[in-house]
Amino acid sequence: MKQPDSISPALFPLYSAVQLEALRAAVIEPGPVGQSLAALRQRFEPWLAVPPEVPGQGEAGSDAHNRHQLNYQLIEAAGSLYLLSGEQRYADWIETALTRYANVYLSMDFHPQRNTNPPGRLFHQMLNETMWLLYASLGYGCVRHTFDAARRAHIEGWLLRPMVELFTVRYAHDFDHIHNHGLWAVAAVGLCGIAIGEPRFVDMAVDGLAGDRRTGGFLAQISQLFSPDGYYIEGPYYHRFAIRPLCLFAEALQLHRPELEIYQFKDRVIRTTIRALLATAYPDGRFPALNDASRSMSIRDEGVLIAVAIHAARYGCDATLLATAQQQGQVWVHPAALALADTAPEGAGHWPSTELREGPDGTRGAQGFLRSANAAGEISQVLMNYGQHGMGHGHFDTLGITWYSAGDEVLREYGFARWLNVESKFGGRYLPENKRYARQTVAHNCVVVDGACQNGFDVARADAVHGRRHFFVGEGDVQAMSARADEHHPGVHMQRSVLLLTLPELAHPLLVDLYRLVSDSQHQYDYALQYSGQITASTPPLVAETRQWQALGETDGYQHLFATARASLGDGLRLTWLQGRRFNTWAAAASEAELLCTLSGAGDPDSNLRRESGFLLRTRAATHLFASAFETHGLFDEESERCHGARPCLQAVRVLGHDETGSVLQILLTDQVLTLMLSNRPDVRPETEHELLIGDTRYAWSGYLACRRG
Amino acid sequence: MKQPDSISPALFPLYSAVQLEALRAAVIEPGPVGQSLAALRQRFEPWLAVPPEVPGQGEAGSDAHNRHQLNYQLIEAAGSLYLLSGEQRYADWIETALTRYANVYLSMDFHPQRNTNPPGRLFHQMLNETMWLLYASLGYGCVRHTFDAARRAHIEGWLLRPMVELFTVRYAHDFDHIHNHGLWAVAAVGLCGIAIGEPRFVDMAVDGLAGDRRTGGFLAQISQLFSPDGYYIEGPYYHRFAIRPLCLFAEALQLHRPELEIYQFKDRVIRTTIRALLATAYPDGRFPALNDASRSMSIRDEGVLIAVAIHAARYGCDATLLATAQQQGQVWVHPAALALADTAPEGAGHWPSTELREGPDGTRGAQGFLRSANAAGEISQVLMNYGQHGMGHGHFDTLGITWYSAGDEVLREYGFARWLNVESKFGGRYLPENKRYARQTVAHNCVVVDGACQNGFDVARADAVHGRRHFFVGEGDVQAMSARADEHHPGVHMQRSVLLLTLPELAHPLLVDLYRLVSDSQHQYDYALQYSGQITASTPPLVAETRQWQALGETDGYQHLFATARASLGDGLRLTWLQGRRFNTWAAAASEAELLCTLSGAGDPDSNLRRESGFLLRTRAATHLFASAFETHGLFDEESERCHGARPCLQAVRVLGHDETGSVLQILLTDQVLTLMLSNRPDVRPETEHELLIGDTRYAWSGYLACRRG
């Protein structure tokens, strides 16, 4: 194997001297790269104007923690600023900072261990320590050639090499773990090797400790972490975190180990996985909070900035990618971002409806995304999880959905129960309520069987099963996806089908949701929805609990829900709420059912839960079809006191019949009736003929589904 | 009295042909007037491109209601667009619209009456009908000269004159009522008179029906509606609504009745009241929701746009006014706005601390506003109401405060219980919960005595009393205001003093709050605060109600509050919550007290209440001083996962002593102790000497207060 070039002013970790010249030329022109450099300079310049500070240890979110994090960002930024400006003071700053760290690093004790991630010397967990090494290596690699041999020996011998040893010897197991933390570790060690000219480190990073490219190392990681469609099992929140070291190390390997042809590796897996990540985002750029995730993480994250630039430079750029870059508002300050210099054309397309299959060979279900733009260009998106459980961070929500419409998440994810980096909230770590509530089935837009979490909240059991795709139609005015989960509750077969209907009567696409449960025995079925806002109308009227609210249960998340109001349902439900500027109406077929309005906040001794609203549509049956439709309508602009369309067009949903062949329902709009027919046959194909006789009426259709007027 | 000039192409209702030329020249240049015209055109052009529709009647927020409202806006816009563009189609649109209204107006029945405001033919209340006439008159006055005599006779005889008759004969009492609705009525009738050349209407509008300029009419209105400092008794939400007809009619009178010298009238009351309104706004431009008010009404309201332009044109423009105009984001499309063409200088000053006295001669208390900018230019604002009750829309919150810090309202107003123009929420009218909760003392940042609303929720009693100013210091690093309310709870004297301290240790000014109650007998005192966000730390720890929440009382707003957690306080309280991006810490001196955490939402059968969080610090005493301090600190940026400063610098507040001479307390910061001494003497003057002996220590100071380190 070819050895990497030794570091010289002609080759830095992330770009060559030739690329640097192009970048230098670009940043003085108006454009996104120059603006982003100005932002970077504005953010870091005040800190680079004063000598570096090296604190001791602290909790996540503490001053010490924040300062170590800032320091690695400063070292990297100073490296780039040195190369772009040629100003010696940047190199000096890095020299002082790294020297100070080298002076103390080996004399620092390890943090006390508080969670599953082993502690580092600088940080409470190794993950942050690997991030530190990665960024410090990038910055060091930009200025190393200006330091004398003694300085290099001190920094490398007392800081960088001991860190590598820590990761690859003491925590060798984690280094070879195929996981996002492992990806950070290999990228850090590899980039350190490139920065200091130590090919052995690069070899370990690329090939794994065993050198087999299978049990560990970067190639094994990117081979095994993603499904053939590029989906990352832990979900977009962790995917955007993993994509950062992935892209950084790939770009360095392309430069320093070109013979690997990393961007072509495994059928261009890097391209596939970047596109998969971008395809999960909501229209406003936020990532749906699948599994443990913040509700505000978005495509503006640093990793996604890097990924978009890498895609543009290495795999090309189209209008959708340019529009994404524009939405990001800034670009990575790197030659790759020069490929993003163009302005997105007006009305550049949104990411299309997509099905991202899960599992090593794509056979363990999928995450389905349906999208549709209305006449005003506003994009609706419904997401259904019919794939795998997300490992240790997985939520027990197979067949769960989220629904984004008219600029807001309407059927919502709670996200994780955690205040990341908030020192006073358990050091920023996961809170007990994450397991007790946030990961439970009832906290999602799902059906809960007999008040119990899917798979009994057993991660091993959940990891062993997965959802099963039924069909997916991602184009046209009637988009739909349907899937099954047969192993998540013993003895209960579940099928969920969601449709996105573009109708001329409606300002926004209508969401239709059919959740069918089949069992030999009676069960309590709770169709759960999470929403936000103020109820403005309900038929039948709600009966509020006016004097006291009681917790709804003892376990499985119910102990955290208060019942705030109820309604007995005999002939369906229609309920409207105002969320921000928009009204949303939910119509459901329901007989012999009860509606419970809920609020999270019970069983919360430490004020760890947010108080969020929900609905539980409860019924008792063996086999049952929950059929619902959701319309977004009207506008309420409180500041200007304008309001229209507070009443929906959607009037009712009626189930005409359902069996193993199919489900037939009617959706009543103000001046129109829609009849929907949908296949329940596991063997359905586009040409399969279906027929149901319901009363005297025969309903027949070909293929997955049909939608007829009248 | 001189008769108004008859309408001719040389003189339109709101500007002369000469002013029109200046406006025409300005709108084709880059600048705020041209941009605002483009926005106006973009908003209304689609509607002006199709024939006008004249619907029947409907509830507030209904399609019919919205269309009538849109129509008067369109008529006015078309008038301006006709004059600015000369395009005949705009005049034609107005002709068709007004002809269609004239065809049906007198045959329309009156709406059924549902609230205290009498119903109109087009709208559910007369107020909207007067707004319709005002705007229709403005539009008509721009194009009347292009219509033939028969068309004029039809429109004026079947629509405009009958409307004037409705307001001045059938509802004569309301026409002469000194109130914001009366202001709309007189402005509408006066502008109609100017538009159609009927001096009698202008006379009625200016002088009142009795012609005495005292019992009614525009001059009486603007003489009597405002205090000498320009404050409007109902508060900023209604003030900004009243200022619109005021400014429009004033500008027309300046043109058509110049001999009135309206802008000099009563010592330039129009200037004073515009400035008073602007001085109430929060730094983000929203108006504090004093009395019945929306929480989102702001200086971007149309009336405030007009008022700012009028001020600039008629009374001059300074940097603060320019900065306000810039914050508004658009200007009124009128020659007056040409005075706002300049760009505000960098760092233009904010509105200063202000005391707006109340009552006809300024002796019925005041509304006090303290403001201070930190090093980053972020403005903190505390507001205390020690003035009058706000009439029928008044909230029972004398000595109540609100606190705005670092971009958010921290100690919050609930605002009104109403969804304005939301048809499905009781036709957009005030909801029963407005009286039951939103106007009650406990819903404010106030002290509730014996669980009872101030003045027993008796508006007549409340209107008869008022707060009393004690002192006001609106400049420097120690700003303060102090006031009393002695007649709001029988047998209890209340004094509240709030201080805004700029301290080098803190990123934002510290709010200090001393609420002192003096009585001969024991009472239950509840120091109530309304906040938003998540509690992150509390000393002593809170004991949460984990299985059930119960309503806190039966009446006076307590029936709408759940107790969610409690703490027994022996040695003070320190509690931190995270609101959006900032942490806020409240430290309070407290012994033999109980802290109750509350949530609104009990007793709410129709889901009319928002669920908002609060605290009640409860103690039982005859004489008691609640002493608190509030610090805004740190930063939490969830999207970028950055957090610092979750722990406060503020450690504790201790009361050393208080009596009829003064109150002395200590504020403990991390590395500093502040001693505050504050006068309680009703006769205090800047030179008054004070002395308190507490234990062995003598505390002495001159004047209102002193703040010492150590």
Side-chain angles (χ1 to χ4, degrees), chain A residues 631-644:
Chain A
E631 178 193 355
T632 300
H633 53 98
L635 177 81
F636 176 59
D637 180 341
E638 194 185 54
E639 182 174 356
S640 72
E641 304 196 334
R642 282 184 300 147
C643 181
H644 64 78

mmCIF file of all heavy atoms in Angstrom, chain A residues 631-644:
data_model
loop_
_atom_site.group_PDB
_atom_site.id
_atom_site.type_symbol
_atom_site.label_atom_id
_atom_site.label_comp_id
_atom_site.label_asym_id
_atom_site.label_seq_id
_atom_site.Cartn_x
_atom_site.Cartn_y
_atom_site.Cartn_z
ATOM 1 N N GLU A 631 -57.034 17.505 7.881
ATOM 2 C CA GLU A 631 -57.000 18.638 6.950
ATOM 3 C C GLU A 631 -56.369 19.849 7.635
ATOM 4 O O GLU A 631 -56.737 20.187 8.762
ATOM 5 C CB GLU A 631 -58.430 19.002 6.515
ATOM 6 C CG GLU A 631 -58.469 20.212 5.577
ATOM 7 C CD GLU A 631 -59.870 20.805 5.368
ATOM 8 O OE1 GLU A 631 -60.855 20.222 5.877
ATOM 9 O OE2 GLU A 631 -59.967 21.866 4.735
ATOM 10 N N THR A 632 -55.442 20.501 6.955
ATOM 11 C CA THR A 632 -54.914 21.791 7.421
ATOM 12 C C THR A 632 -55.651 22.877 6.658
ATOM 13 O O THR A 632 -55.761 22.807 5.434
ATOM 14 C CB THR A 632 -53.405 21.873 7.130
ATOM 15 O OG1 THR A 632 -52.745 20.817 7.817
ATOM 16 C CG2 THR A 632 -52.834 23.201 7.611
ATOM 17 N N HIS A 633 -56.183 23.864 7.375
ATOM 18 C CA HIS A 633 -57.017 24.863 6.691
ATOM 19 C C HIS A 633 -56.913 26.226 7.360
ATOM 20 O O HIS A 633 -56.526 26.358 8.521
ATOM 21 C CB HIS A 633 -58.478 24.394 6.634
ATOM 22 C CG HIS A 633 -59.073 24.003 7.964
ATOM 23 N ND1 HIS A 633 -59.856 24.851 8.710
ATOM 24 C CD2 HIS A 633 -58.992 22.840 8.670
ATOM 25 C CE1 HIS A 633 -60.245 24.225 9.820
ATOM 26 N NE2 HIS A 633 -59.726 23.004 9.834
ATOM 27 N N GLY A 634 -57.315 27.243 6.603
ATOM 28 C CA GLY A 634 -57.492 28.582 7.150
ATOM 29 C C GLY A 634 -56.200 29.266 7.521
ATOM 30 O O GLY A 634 -55.087 28.789 7.250
ATOM 31 N N LEU A 635 -56.376 30.409 8.154
ATOM 32 C CA LEU A 635 -55.239 31.213 8.586
ATOM 33 C C LEU A 635 -55.675 32.057 9.765
ATOM 34 O O LEU A 635 -56.753 32.639 9.766
ATOM 35 C CB LEU A 635 -54.790 32.146 7.452
ATOM 36 C CG LEU A 635 -53.641 33.081 7.840
ATOM 37 C CD1 LEU A 635 -52.314 32.354 7.762
ATOM 38 C CD2 LEU A 635 -53.614 34.299 6.926
ATOM 39 N N PHE A 636 -54.840 32.114 10.782
ATOM 40 C CA PHE A 636 -55.060 33.018 11.906
ATOM 41 C C PHE A 636 -53.791 33.810 12.093
ATOM 42 O O PHE A 636 -52.740 33.241 12.374
ATOM 43 C CB PHE A 636 -55.395 32.221 13.170
ATOM 44 C CG PHE A 636 -55.535 33.074 14.405
ATOM 45 C CD1 PHE A 636 -56.475 34.086 14.469
ATOM 46 C CD2 PHE A 636 -54.727 32.858 15.518
ATOM 47 C CE1 PHE A 636 -56.615 34.873 15.604
ATOM 48 C CE2 PHE A 636 -54.857 33.637 16.664
ATOM 49 C CZ PHE A 636 -55.799 34.647 16.704
ATOM 50 N N ASP A 637 -53.875 35.100 11.853
ATOM 51 C CA ASP A 637 -52.705 35.952 12.060
ATOM 52 C C ASP A 637 -53.061 36.902 13.182
ATOM 53 O O ASP A 637 -53.706 37.926 12.975
ATOM 54 C CB ASP A 637 -52.377 36.708 10.770
ATOM 55 C CG ASP A 637 -51.156 37.600 10.940
ATOM 56 O OD1 ASP A 637 -50.794 37.902 12.102
ATOM 57 O OD2 ASP A 637 -50.564 38.000 9.938
ATOM 58 N N GLU A 638 -52.662 36.536 14.391
ATOM 59 C CA GLU A 638 -53.115 37.304 15.553
ATOM 60 C C GLU A 638 -52.602 38.731 15.510
ATOM 61 O O GLU A 638 -53.329 39.666 15.859
ATOM 62 C CB GLU A 638 -52.683 36.625 16.860
ATOM 63 C CG GLU A 638 -53.410 37.209 18.059
ATOM 64 C CD GLU A 638 -52.926 36.648 19.383
ATOM 65 O OE1 GLU A 638 -51.711 36.690 19.658
ATOM 66 O OE2 GLU A 638 -53.757 36.170 20.141
ATOM 67 N N GLU A 639 -51.382 38.930 15.080
ATOM 68 C CA GLU A 639 -50.827 40.288 15.099
ATOM 69 C C GLU A 639 -51.660 41.237 14.240
ATOM 70 O O GLU A 639 -51.969 42.339 14.645
ATOM 71 C CB GLU A 639 -49.360 40.286 14.643
ATOM 72 C CG GLU A 639 -48.764 41.687 14.710
ATOM 73 C CD GLU A 639 -47.273 41.743 14.404
ATOM 74 O OE1 GLU A 639 -46.656 40.696 14.217
ATOM 75 O OE2 GLU A 639 -46.738 42.864 14.353
ATOM 76 N N SER A 640 -52.022 40.776 13.044
ATOM 77 C CA SER A 640 -52.819 41.654 12.181
ATOM 78 C C SER A 640 -54.312 41.403 12.367
ATOM 79 O O SER A 640 -55.135 42.034 11.704
ATOM 80 C CB SER A 640 -52.429 41.463 10.717
ATOM 81 O OG SER A 640 -52.893 40.211 10.246
ATOM 82 N N GLU A 641 -54.670 40.474 13.255
ATOM 83 C CA GLU A 641 -56.062 40.179 13.584
ATOM 84 C C GLU A 641 -56.867 39.743 12.367
ATOM 85 O O GLU A 641 -58.049 40.022 12.254
ATOM 86 C CB GLU A 641 -56.688 41.378 14.304
ATOM 87 C CG GLU A 641 -55.851 41.732 15.541
ATOM 88 C CD GLU A 641 -56.528 42.641 16.547
ATOM 89 O OE1 GLU A 641 -57.404 43.404 16.147
ATOM 90 O OE2 GLU A 641 -56.184 42.542 17.749
ATOM 91 N N ARG A 642 -56.201 39.037 11.478
ATOM 92 C CA ARG A 642 -56.912 38.454 10.341
ATOM 93 C C ARG A 642 -57.161 36.978 10.609
ATOM 94 O O ARG A 642 -56.298 36.290 11.165
ATOM 95 C CB ARG A 642 -56.082 38.589 9.062
ATOM 96 C CG ARG A 642 -56.137 39.996 8.474
ATOM 97 C CD ARG A 642 -55.395 40.055 7.165
ATOM 98 N NE ARG A 642 -53.998 39.706 7.326
ATOM 99 C CZ ARG A 642 -53.265 39.073 6.413
ATOM 100 N NH1 ARG A 642 -53.807 38.706 5.265
ATOM 101 N NH2 ARG A 642 -51.991 38.796 6.629
ATOM 102 N N CYS A 643 -58.296 36.496 10.202
ATOM 103 C CA CYS A 643 -58.598 35.078 10.352
ATOM 104 C C CYS A 643 -59.575 34.671 9.275
ATOM 105 O O CYS A 643 -60.526 35.396 8.980
ATOM 106 C CB CYS A 643 -59.208 34.815 11.734
ATOM 107 S SG CYS A 643 -59.589 33.074 11.989
ATOM 108 N N HIS A 644 -59.328 33.537 8.662
ATOM 109 C CA HIS A 644 -60.350 32.960 7.782
ATOM 110 C C HIS A 644 -60.211 31.449 7.790
ATOM 111 O O HIS A 644 -59.183 30.912 8.215
ATOM 112 C CB HIS A 644 -60.258 33.521 6.361
ATOM 113 C CG HIS A 644 -58.980 33.182 5.647
ATOM 114 N ND1 HIS A 644 -58.752 31.960 5.079
ATOM 115 C CD2 HIS A 644 -57.851 33.907 5.445
ATOM 116 C CE1 HIS A 644 -57.545 31.949 4.538
ATOM 117 N NE2 HIS A 644 -56.973 33.113 4.757
#
